[in-house]
Amino acid sequence: MSWSIILGAFWVLASTVVAMLPLRRQYVPGVALLILAPVLIVLIGYEHGVLPGLLALGAFVSMFRNPLRYLWRKATGRSQEAAE
């Protein structure tokens, strides 16, 4: 098994542990995982091809959909009221 897949599996386990933490303790490790994810996705895509890279991207977006939605709204200047 390649290092990128092993690191990806550890990333998933770490994300699961962070999700079980109280909300006030999720911020710092969650941001670290959010920053590390694109590196792992690119590494998986580079070593194993486009399809595994896209599957990793889909898993990432699925796990972090709410923080990504928040960052997208903040970046585009849309308020939460406008989205609902």
Side-chain angles (χ1 to χ4, degrees), residues 8-84:
F10 280 124
W11 184 92
V12 169
L13 292 174
S15 295
T16 303
V17 170
V18 169
M20 289 189 266
L21 293 173
L23 192 57
R24 60 186 159 82
R25 295 184 180 243
Q26 287 181 3
Y27 185 73
V28 173
V31 168
L33 289 168
L34 196 63
I35 292 170
L36 185 61
V39 175
L40 281 172
I41 292 168
V42 168
L43 186 61
I44 289 170
Y46 179 74
E47 287 187 3
H48 297 282
V50 174
L51 183 60
L54 289 174
L55 290 172
L57 179 63
F60 168 71
V61 170
S62 174
M63 289 179 75
F64 281 87
R65 64 185 167 270
N66 289 331
L68 291 171
R69 190 178 300 145
Y70 169 78
L71 291 173
W72 178 258
R73 286 182 187 150
K74 192 168 185 164
T76 59
R78 294 177 53 200
S79 66
Q80 187 161 350
E81 294 84 24
E84 293 177 355

